[in-house]
Amino acid sequence: MVVGAGISGASIAHHLARQGVSVVVIEQAPQPAAGATGRSGGMVRAYDPDPVIGDLALASLATYRDPGCWASGRAPLHAVGAVTAADPAQEPTLRQAAGQLNDALRTSAHVVTECDQVAGIHLAGGVALVEPEAGWVAPAEVTADWLVQARADGAVVCHGLRVHAVQADGGRPLVRTDAGTISAGAVVAAVGPWAADPTPGLRPASPVRSRSIQVSVVERRPPAPPHATFVDLRTGWYAKPVGADRTLIGMPHLVWDSPVDSPPDPTHAQATVAALTAHFPWLTTAAHLHTVRAADAYHPPGRGGQASELLEGTDVPHVWSVRAWNGGGVKTAPEAGRRIADACVADAFSDAA
């Protein structure tokens, strides 16, 4: 059983079903990708300062670029490019990373220095790693594609069904739901920010907190240029194009233990526009279209999100919680889902009679 039909849960279910495992996906919302996944910016690039995330992201970018991996027959990646800005002291690290990416993916990643603008983005004094073959995906579309494939391979996907508790029964999980009790060989909880307030039996070994995410979408009018996706490692500011004439902008919203459905914070929205203007000067006259707020699962401050384990155990045997991705779930989901599925299969059936 996979609890949660966001992008991570859908990837895990797809890879499990592809291996011939009998899979049931339980989602409390009426449709998949209804939580943090559906409100994610969906930016995809191979580089990340965390080597664990970077390893997963590199393999995931290859999957997002490959039409053969998708039920739709087309790759979901919008290859507008990706620009990762950093402090000039990070130039050697970025150059090394560019070489590694190009060796692995046969791409044209490169580092720019002493350059005012690249790919429609003002660098504001930093250096930048440019990945021309990266970009963004629509997380809800990716999630739906994986669930289509999972169903085709025999998985059952249940929407609008809530899990109330998970307990041990003869060494295996017993899952209590709105529709009755289900005996499972193993359970994987991919519930995002809901891991911070878990259903009994799904509490991960390490503490998880929810942290607010808030983004705004603005209209990009001529003469504003098209641009790549953008992340500034110095500040945490980010942006991505949304179609031909819109841009999504965001910056850290350091509100912890925030409910997923909290109302938008107008002060933060205004501050986001003011901050990103250094990189996109045309924002001073851009029309604001809407602001969306959600939450994501985070390790608490001090842990750093460096844990290499993709799954954490719970108090119930053969029940695991997917690690908190600290906002990086979309760019790691293809490869993380594959590895988690392999780990689940190896553990769940290791002592089967």
Side-chain angles (χ1 to χ4, degrees), residues 98-225:
Q100 293 171 342
L101 299 184
N102 292 335
D103 289 343
L105 299 177
R106 298 188 176 184
T107 53
S108 56
H110 57 279
V111 175
V112 297
T113 62
E114 299 180 356
C115 182
D116 177 60
Q117 181 175 307
V118 62
I121 301 162
H122 289 256
L123 296 184
V127 300
L129 172 62
V130 182
E131 298 180 54
E133 292 82 10
W136 62 278
V137 299
E141 293 179 8
V142 170
T143 300
D145 192 297
W146 275 327
L147 292 177
V148 166
Q149 295 188 66
R151 287 190 179 99
D153 289 326
V156 175
V157 181
C158 304
H159 298 116
L161 190 62
R162 185 179 295 271
V163 173
H164 295 287
V166 181
Q167 62 190 65
D169 180 41
R172 292 291 173 176
L174 197 65
V175 184
R176 302 192 183 281
T177 75
D178 290 335
T181 301
I182 302 170
S183 180
V187 176
V188 180
V191 296
W194 287 274
D197 185 22
T199 295
L202 296 183
R203 181 176 299 278
S206 299
V208 173
R209 297 181 71 184
S210 65
R211 200 181 90 175
S212 177
I213 303 169
Q214 182 166 292
V215 298
S216 294
V217 175
V218 298
E219 188 176 10
R220 189 174 67 254
R221 300 173 180 172

Side-chain angles (χ1 to χ4, degrees), residues 11-338:
S11 178
I12 295 165
H14 159 57
H15 287 289
L16 285 170
R18 186 55 49 94
Q19 294 189 47
V21 177
S22 175
V23 180
V24 174
V25 180
I26 302 293
E27 168 56 49
Q28 65 179 354
Q31 67 281 332
T37 292
R39 303 175 192 182
S40 168
M43 293 187 292
V44 174
R45 66 190 191 280
Y47 174 69
D48 192 276
D50 181 340
V52 173
I53 299 295
D55 177 54
L56 294 168
L58 189 150
S60 295
L61 178 59
T63 299
Y64 281 133
R65 295 173 62 196
D66 185 356
C69 293
W70 304 95
S72 65
R74 58 180 178 81
L77 179 68
H78 298 262
V80 298
V83 174
T84 303
D87 187 272
Q90 297 300 311
E91 180 182 346
T93 300
L94 296 183
R95 290 195 181 279
Q96 181 182 17
Q100 293 171 342
L101 299 184
N102 292 335
D103 289 343
L105 299 177
R106 298 188 176 184
T107 53
S108 56
H110 57 279
V111 175
V112 297
T113 62
E114 299 180 356
C115 182
D116 177 60
Q117 181 175 307
V118 62
I121 301 162
H122 289 256
L123 296 184
V127 300
L129 172 62
V130 182
E131 298 180 54
E133 292 82 10
W136 62 278
V137 299
E141 293 179 8
V142 170
T143 300
D145 192 297
W146 275 327
L147 292 177
V148 166
Q149 295 188 66
R151 287 190 179 99
D153 289 326
V156 175
V157 181
C158 304
H159 298 116
L161 190 62
R162 185 179 295 271
V163 173
H164 295 287
V166 181
Q167 62 190 65
D169 180 41
R172 292 291 173 176
L174 197 65
V175 184
R176 302 192 183 281
T177 75
D178 290 335
T181 301
I182 302 170
S183 180
V187 176
V188 180
V191 296
W194 287 274
D197 185 22
T199 295
L202 296 183
R203 181 176 299 278
S206 299
V208 173
R209 297 181 71 184
S210 65
R211 200 181 90 175
S212 177
I213 303 169
Q214 182 166 292
V215 298
S216 294
V217 175
V218 298
E219 188 176 10
R220 189 174 67 254
R221 300 173 180 172
H227 62 86
T229 66
F230 170 69
V231 174
D232 192 331
L233 299 181
R234 298 166 296 179
T235 60
W237 303 340
Y238 55 95
K240 59 163 268 194
V242 184
D245 61 352
R246 298 184 178 188
T247 289
L248 177 150
I249 58 174
M251 62 184 284
H253 193 212
L254 301 180
V255 178
W256 293 93
D257 307 317
S258 171
V260 175
D261 56 354
S262 298
D265 175 354
T267 301
H268 179 268
Q270 295 167 4
T272 301
V273 172
L276 269 295
T277 298
H279 300 288
F280 303 94
W282 51 265
L283 281 173
T284 56
T285 58
H288 175 271
L289 300 178
H290 61 270
T291 297
V292 177
R293 186 170 173 186
D296 209 343
Y298 268 72
H299 289 291
R303 290 184 56 87
Q306 301 287 332
S308 60
E309 296 83 5
L310 302 184
L311 291 172
E312 292 193 289
T314 69
D315 291 337
V316 182
H318 303 290
V319 177
W320 304 283
S321 177
V322 176
R323 65 162 286 181
W325 289 111
N326 295 19
V330 171
K331 70 178 180 180
T332 60
E335 181 65 10
R338 185 188 70 79

